[in-house]
Amino acid sequence: MDQSPLLRISPTRELATDVVYFEDFLAPEDADRYFRLLLETVVWRQEEIRVFGKVHAFPRLTSWYGDKNAVYTYSGLRNTPMPWNAPLLELRARAEQASGTRFNSVLLNRYRSGNDGMGWHADNERELGRAPVIASVSLGTPRLFVLRTQEEKRRLLELRLAHGSILIMGGASQQNFQHAVPKEKRLVGERINLTFRTVLADK
């Protein structure tokens, strides 16, 4: 990528993490095209989770694509990947170039309106290894992304992720931080978020 990042949280001796944000990762016409293609071609699912004996629907739609062996478990759900399609392969190649990392899978989240969101969490499952690199591409309505420390729950960042942007989290990000996409009841419009990642074998 030839543009400079809009945001960088660099590693320090105490905090071995690296978070980089490029607002203009995709040209506007490319972002529009990928958004339309993914709405039309991705197989979207409404997952459910059991909490204290009660079943709740995820407040968003999801989908999991990747290499054949990239099986991933989160929130108690075992995800077997669907095979890559053309737009996902194109976006993967771009995300790999931006991050300098080889990805074998992608989790897609579709936020249908401001009533959809994602709570505080870290992508620290064993399948991702100790220091995963995760490249998060945003398409559609910009949504607020918040970041806080894992230990003190001190909020460090509030950033509205733009249409066509990419946020790359590496180093010890998933050990040191939690992140979320809060619900925004008055917000209208859909958003698709793609988080490219590398699932390790035999984890």
Side-chain angles (χ1 to χ4, degrees), residues 34-40 42 44 61 88 91 107-112 136-141 143 162-165 189-195:
Y34 284 122
F35 183 63
R36 290 193 303 268
L37 283 171
L38 296 179
L39 284 175
E40 294 169 359
V42 167
W44 298 103
L61 303 180
L88 290 176
L91 284 169
L107 175 64
L108 296 100
N109 288 287
R110 179 176 174 181
Y111 301 84
R112 295 158 292 185
S136 175
V137 177
S138 293
L139 300 169
T141 301
R143 290 293 298 265
H163 178 48
S165 66
E190 293 204 72
R191 173 192 184 234
I192 295 175
N193 175 242
L194 306 92
T195 52

Side-chain angles (χ1 to χ4, degrees), residues 13-148:
R13 186 170 58 182
E14 294 79 19
L15 196 62
T17 190
D18 197 2
V19 179
V20 187
Y21 175 64
F22 293 90
E23 188 171 62
D24 300 321
F25 171 61
L26 297 174
E29 60 272 18
D30 288 339
D32 291 345
R33 178 171 61 87
Y34 284 122
F35 183 63
R36 290 193 303 268
L37 283 171
L38 296 179
L39 284 175
E40 294 169 359
T41 62
V42 167
V43 179
W44 298 103
R45 299 178 298 188
Q46 177 72 72
E47 298 284 11
E48 294 181 336
I49 186 172
R50 184 177 294 274
V51 181
F52 299 119
K54 293 185 177 181
V55 176
H56 301 272
F58 272 27
R60 59 192 177 277
L61 303 180
T62 64
S63 198
W64 178 253
Y65 284 76
D67 296 353
K68 187 176 180 180
N69 63 343
V71 177
Y72 181 53
T73 302
Y74 72 97
S75 298
L77 299 173
R78 180 179 170 84
N79 293 271
T80 300
M82 287 179 285
W84 296 98
N85 64 26
L88 290 176
L89 285 172
E90 292 174 14
L91 284 169
R92 180 179 73 167
R94 293 189 181 212
E96 289 178 340
Q97 183 178 18
S99 64
T101 302
R102 166 77 171 86
F103 299 115
N104 64 8
S105 51
V106 62
L107 175 64
L108 296 100
N109 288 287
R110 179 176 174 181
Y111 301 84
R112 295 158 292 185
S113 70
N115 289 314
D116 284 353
M118 183 178 291
W120 289 107
H121 71 286
D123 297 312
N124 55 5
E125 292 81 11
R126 289 185 62 211
E127 296 99 319
L128 302 180
R130 289 283 302 166
V133 175
I134 296 179
S136 175
V137 177
S138 293
L139 300 169
T141 301
R143 290 293 298 265
L144 189 65
F145 172 88
V146 288
L147 188 76
R148 72 182 185 185

Side-chain angles (χ1 to χ4, degrees), residues 162-181:
H163 178 48
S165 66
I166 188 170
L167 179 80
I168 303 168
M169 294 182 286
S173 305
Q174 305 306 322
Q175 280 70 49
N176 293 326
F177 299 149
Q178 292 179 328
H179 54 278
V181 178

